[in-house]
Amino acid sequence: MVETTELPLATGERIRVRKPLPPAQADALSREILALKKKLNAVILAHNYQVPEIQDVADYVGDSLGLAQQAAKTSADVIVFCGVHFMAETAKILNPGKIVVLPDKDAGCSLEESCPADKLAALQATNPNFYTVTYINCSAAVKALSDVICTSGNAVKIVNAVPKDKDILFIPDENLGSWVMEQTGRPMTLWKGNCYAHVEFQQENILRIKQAYPAAKIIVHPESLREVRALADAVCSTEKMITYCKESPARQFVIVTEAGIIHRMKKECPDKEFLCAPVYDVNRMPGDSCRCNECKFMKMNTLEKLRDCMLKLAPRVEMDRATLDRARLPIERMLEISAR
Ligand code: 13P
Ligand code: SF4
């Protein structure tokens, strides 16, 4: 049972947030998880947005691209995927013969929800020259209708590789799509989906933060709105954000994405300062723990649920063979173009 506590926001709202586990309890659970991992010959893959205690027991922590690459090459018998459902599904598509479990099967994504396969098929039918480039944040059924998959880490490279005579249909994130259009100069038809969390970052917030911390570099995820991206020193995927912060001579960074990533940044760059952009209230300064920049889906996973899914080997990701086989082609095409 996850304990929660109420937190007042400066807006007057009150929100319920997860209470961090007491250290002794977290340690005991982590030891149990590591023993189960050995027993099952399992690999634990975790996204950069997962809670710190999950990141700390994972074999690999990274962005969607890194996680797909790890899933494609693992020799483990069981893949334990700590992220959201479409990410675990991708691991299963790449490993049809392996058991893939996830801590919470209801960990969805607003982008995936925005794009049902039947609506996509209807749009595709309007233009036989469409070449569908699909952001990995979608269901297996949508992947199965796609020509190639991309992530925020490789979207520019993937779009640049699309044959020039094709009309690109980019789905389902219109903000990532508009950023990729700016970077590549390729016109694209954009699906009208967005990440409910990233579109909460507002230009006026970031402007205030820039004024308060003029020496800080502003790092923005491309799922954010165009006017927010325009204020960035760098626009990139979560993994590239970490590389940027490591390599930059700057000492202070404002991170405009989901707050879970700060854990890795602090671990990997202990001598630098990371300020997590707040979203709702322009009077709040970065560093205030308003929790309004947390993805409610990513944060459904807890250490207890992770232990339980390894104990029960459930919930498992399953899908029909035809979807699985069809969805693998555009993912493999992405991995091949990415490796060039
Ligand atoms: P990354 O691929 O940059 O990790 O992003 C995944 C995601 O869901 C962003 O909201
Ligand atoms: Fe989906 Fe946004 Fe959550 Fe990423 S942060 S999993 S895009 S809802």
Side-chain angles (χ1 to χ4, degrees):
M1 178 68 184
V2 184
E3 279 197 68
T4 58
T5 183
E6 270 210 344
L7 202 75
L9 299 183
T11 52
E13 263 180 282
R14 297 182 76 78
I15 54 163
R16 283 233 143 248
V17 296
R18 182 185 61 93
K19 240 188 189 172
L21 281 176
Q25 203 182 331
D27 280 356
L29 273 166
S30 302
R31 277 198 300 274
E32 220 183 314
I33 288 164
L34 294 176
L36 279 165
K37 187 166 77 98
K38 214 168 165 187
K39 186 175 147 205
L40 296 168
N41 186 28
V43 64
I44 303 179
L45 304 179
H47 189 264
N48 287 321
Y49 295 162
Q50 291 295 287
V51 292
E53 54 272 33
I54 289 184
Q55 292 191 29
D56 290 345
V57 292
D59 294 290
Y60 177 85
V61 184
D63 68 356
S64 309
L65 177 60
L67 290 163
Q69 287 165 334
Q70 291 294 318
K73 67 177 188 201
T74 185
S75 59
D77 296 320
V78 175
I79 299 175
V80 183
F81 208 108
C82 302
V84 290
H85 188 265
F86 76 79
M87 295 179 174
E89 232 176 26
T90 305
K92 179 69 182 178
I93 293 165
L94 289 166
N95 295 278
K98 292 190 199 290
I99 294 174
V100 178
V101 291
L102 70 168
D104 193 319
K105 68 174 175 26
D106 295 326
C109 170
S110 64
L111 280 165
E112 178 181 356
E113 279 167 21
S114 78
C115 188
D118 57 339
K119 290 211 172 110
L120 171 60
L123 178 60
Q124 286 173 321
T126 64
N127 181 353
N129 199 40
F130 267 150
Y131 189 97
T132 307
V133 180
T134 301
Y135 189 31
I136 200 164
N137 297 39
C138 65
S139 67
V142 164
K143 287 185 176 76
L145 291 172
S146 305
D147 291 298
V148 66
I149 303 301
C150 72
T151 73
S152 57
N154 63 16
V156 169
K157 193 172 188 181
I158 298 290
V159 166
N160 275 329
V162 175
K164 295 282 179 274
D165 60 337
K166 290 288 181 186
D167 298 327
I168 301 177
L169 172 60
F170 189 93
I171 67 162
D173 187 350
E174 60 177 336
N175 293 304
L176 176 66
S178 75
W179 177 70
V180 173
M181 277 207 286
E182 287 158 27
Q183 302 302 305
T184 62
R186 295 278 310 252
M188 307 197 294
T189 300
L190 302 181
W191 189 269
K192 295 261 169 251
N194 60 47
C195 163
Y196 90 95
H198 282 84
V199 297
E200 293 292 344
F201 292 105
Q202 297 298 312
Q203 187 183 41
E204 54 184 350
N205 278 146
I206 311 302
L207 274 173
R208 268 182 54 87
I209 295 167
K210 250 175 127 68
Q211 278 160 9
Y213 298 92
K217 295 285 179 203
I218 312 275
I219 323 290
V220 175
H221 197 277
E223 287 173 8
S224 308
L225 299 169
R226 185 193 302 262
E227 62 267 26
V228 171
R229 297 195 310 265
L231 300 173
D233 292 290
V235 177
C236 48
S237 78
T238 56
E239 196 59 36
K240 288 185 180 170
M241 286 184 173
I242 292 172
T243 308
Y244 180 96
C245 294
K246 276 185 180 163
E247 290 176 356
S248 167
R251 313 304 308 159
Q252 200 175 45
F253 303 86
V254 175
I255 305 301
V256 187
T257 193
E258 214 270 0
I261 197 171
I262 302 291
H263 180 61
R264 246 190 93 191
M265 288 176 165
K266 284 184 176 162
K267 256 172 115 169
E268 295 185 28
C269 310
D271 53 339
K272 296 187 176 180
E273 189 183 0
F274 299 100
L275 309 160
C276 195
V279 284
Y280 289 125
D281 181 357
V282 289
N283 295 314
R284 273 183 177 267
M285 279 288 107
D288 285 1
S289 57
C290 64
R291 303 276 186 135
C292 42
N293 47 11
E294 291 196 338
C295 168
K296 64 183 174 188
F297 301 112
M298 287 281 183
K299 293 305 193 269
M300 287 168 98
N301 295 333
T302 63
L303 214 47
E304 294 99 317
K305 289 188 201 172
L306 169 55
R307 186 266 321 267
D308 291 349
C309 83
M310 293 176 81
L311 268 179
K312 297 178 194 150
L313 282 181
R316 284 188 201 193
V317 181
E318 308 279 8
M319 73 199 79
D320 66 81
R321 191 78 212 189
T323 307
L324 218 136
D325 287 343
R326 179 59 188 87
R328 193 173 317 111
L329 303 173
I331 300 174
E332 286 180 343
R333 190 168 289 145
M334 167 188 84
L335 293 173
E336 186 270 306
I337 296 170
S338 248
R340 282 181 198 166

